[in-house]
Structures are given as C-alpha cells and as structure tokens.
Amino acid sequence: MTITEIPALPARHAVTTTDHTATTDDHAQLAITVHQPVEPDPSRPLVLLVHGWAASRTVWHATARRLAAAGHTVASYDQRGHASSSAGQEPISIARLARDLDTVVGTLTTPERPVVVVGHSGGGYAALAWAAGLSAGKGGAGVKRLAGLVLVSTASHGQDTPASEVKMMGSKLFSRALGTPWLGRRLLSGTHGPAASLTVREANRRLFAATSPAVRAACFASSQGMDQRAGLAGITAPTAVITGTEDKVVKPDFSRELAAALPHAELHRIPDTGHMVPLETPQHVAHHVHLLVTAGR
C-alpha cells in the first residue's frame, strides 16, 4: 500500500511527560521519557518507541505527542551510549540491544500489560530480535503479550555495513565535518528524502553529531552479518512495516521482504520520503500505531 494522505489523529487529551531510568544487568543506565494523557487508559497497551543508530529518544517527540494526545501511553528511551544513556559494560550488539529493550519493558510495565513496540532502523533490528526471543520462550522481564510491532525503515538481513564505513563512523575527521552545519547536512543528505525540510535535515545532523564516534562505529558494525529471517515465522503479532520510497539506507525491497516473511504484516510505502521517517513524516508512524492499538475496539 502506498500512502499519500492520512487523517489527523484525534487530540482530545492533555498530555503529561515524565522521565525515568532503567538499569540493565551490565549496569547501563537507560534514560526514558513517558508521554501519556493526564487520565491514561490502563486497558491500552504501552507503546514503546526504539530509535536507530546515532539518534536519541527525541527523534520520536512528534510521534509521541500525537499518540499521547490521542489517548495512548507512549515511552521512548535513549539506546545505550546514546544521548543521556550510559554505555554499560558489554559491547553493543543486536542481542544486547534486544535485552536492553526487555529491561525497559520490565521497568515500565506489569506482566499483565501488553506492549506495542515501534522500532526505527537499528531500533527495528532490536525489536525483531526481542520479538523472536519471546516467540521462542526467551522473555526475561518481557515475557508478556506482544500486542503488535511497527517496523519503520528496517530489515531482518542484508545490512552489512562495509568496514570502510564503520571506520568512517568512528573517525575524528567525520565528527568534525558533522559539526559544521552545512557540511554535516550535505554528508547526511542520503539519509532523508529530497523534500525534507531544513528543520528535519538539521535535526538529523545534530543527532548524528551528538553521538560519540565509538558508539556510531559499534552500532554500524553490529549489523554486519545480521540475519534474523529464521525467527520471523514465529512472530505472530500484528505488524505494520513502513518504508519511505526514497530510502537509500535500508532499501524498500528489504522492507517488502520483511513484510512478506512475517505472518501478520502489512507493508506501507510513503512517497518522497527517505530513511528518517520519524523526523520526515511522524504523522504516518503515529497513524499506524493508533490503528494497530485500536483495531477491534
């Protein structure tokens, strides 16, 4: 399905925002923000937003505010080593980030409350690994009903970052270039669509520049050899797979393959949009989360 226009979500609720911290088993401190209505509905699932590499939980701000105003409780967190979260003692890997996600779920919810996980790019890799672990009975704190997945600009395989790019991500020269606004935006021009506004492009640059070179390199290296296809058939939760038609980072064909491999997934294509969907078109993410949560209500 290719989407051009979507209806605005209802905005009937005043929203409160609170900050929390989750501590992982290797002592990473994960910074969390929760947006929710003043009078939250406990019957609705928690919506957990997981950002990608070289970003932070602020990439979800527009999505979270829309969803909270529509009556949802929404949490986002900085992945380890990003923004206000510490790095912990273990190296970054997809499996480690999936365990971090499990820790956040266990910190914010009770075993009775279902969760909808929304993952962008590398956050989607972690979400897939976590969901596959649940289906295989490896839940830890997250052994609870997975109410749904929304996978944005992500894939289950084929993201083998070249060693030269990993090296660049960790270089001081690249970091200095990112710190120069016009040059940094130019270097990252392939991460968003051609119609992205200056505000979007600058927000993207700032997020990338604010991530330490070592964390950037470790994240991009973590997807080398990643292949999660074997676990996809066991993920039976309803899933929305969203891709921008102009995504040059995780090409739309990978999203198409992901949607086809998941038992209950629908693919949604957003025209003229690149990889940074949460910044470029947050209304589309909010729309599909809302539909997934309210289906059948």
Side-chain angles (χ1 to χ4, degrees):
M1 178 188 302
T2 300
I3 308 166
T4 52
E5 295 183 7
I6 57 168
L9 293 188
R12 294 189 288 264
H13 299 267
V15 175
T16 64
T17 302
T18 55
D19 291 326
H20 307 265
T21 302
T23 303
T24 68
D25 56 4
D26 73 328
H27 308 295
Q29 300 290 307
L30 305 179
I32 305 167
T33 297
V34 176
H35 302 264
Q36 63 183 1
V38 171
E39 297 183 2
D41 182 352
S43 71
R44 288 189 176 186
L46 170 73
V47 176
L48 182 60
L49 309 173
V50 191
H51 70 77
W53 310 152
S56 78
R57 67 194 191 275
T58 62
V59 80
W60 295 114
H61 183 74
T63 301
R65 296 292 293 185
R66 283 176 168 84
L67 287 168
H72 305 281
T73 296
V74 186
S76 57
Y77 67 99
D78 292 333
Q79 295 220 59
R80 63 174 50 219
H82 291 76
S84 297
S85 290
S86 63
Q89 297 175 355
E90 291 185 20
I92 289 172
S93 68
I94 304 301
R96 176 66 260 183
L97 296 177
R99 295 200 300 276
D100 291 350
L101 192 164
D102 190 70
T103 296
V104 174
V105 169
T107 298
L108 295 178
T109 67
T110 63
E112 294 75 30
R113 187 173 191 181
V115 179
V116 169
V117 177
V118 184
H120 173 242
S121 191
Y125 309 157
L128 280 172
W130 182 74
L134 287 185
S135 70
K138 304 173 184 176
V143 177
K144 54 183 90 260
R145 186 162 56 88
L146 176 62
L149 287 170
V150 179
L151 301 169
V152 185
S153 311
T154 197
S156 61
H157 70 290
Q159 304 307 299
D160 295 305
T161 308
S164 58
E165 187 175 343
V166 172
K167 184 178 180 180
M168 181 187 74
M169 289 295 163
S171 76
K172 293 181 180 179
L173 181 61
F174 181 61
S175 294
R176 285 199 296 271
L178 288 173
T180 303
W182 70 267
L183 181 55
R185 292 194 297 268
R186 183 174 179 179
L187 288 170
L188 297 174
S189 62
T191 64
H192 49 71
S197 68
L198 176 60
T199 299
V200 164
R201 289 183 282 127
E202 178 60 11
N204 185 38
R205 181 199 68 81
R206 287 176 178 268
L207 287 167
F208 224 92
T211 308
S212 79
V215 169
R216 284 197 306 258
C219 283
F220 280 84
S222 72
S223 64
Q224 292 176 326
M226 179 188 73
D227 192 339
Q228 302 197 62
R229 286 175 289 185
L232 297 182
I235 301 174
T236 57
T239 303
V241 178
I242 301 173
T243 181
T245 60
E246 304 304 314
D247 193 339
K248 295 180 175 64
V249 179
V250 177
K251 294 182 179 179
D253 281 350
F254 286 108
S255 293
R256 178 183 54 78
E257 290 178 23
L258 176 60
L262 289 163
H264 302 292
E266 291 186 357
L267 176 66
H268 306 281
R269 301 177 181 90
I270 309 175
D272 304 316
T273 302
H275 186 67
M276 293 306 295
V277 172
L279 290 177
E280 295 179 68
T281 57
Q283 68 274 18
H284 285 92
V285 182
H287 172 75
H288 285 291
V289 174
H290 179 74
L291 288 182
L292 193 152
V293 172
T294 59
R297 285 177 174 261

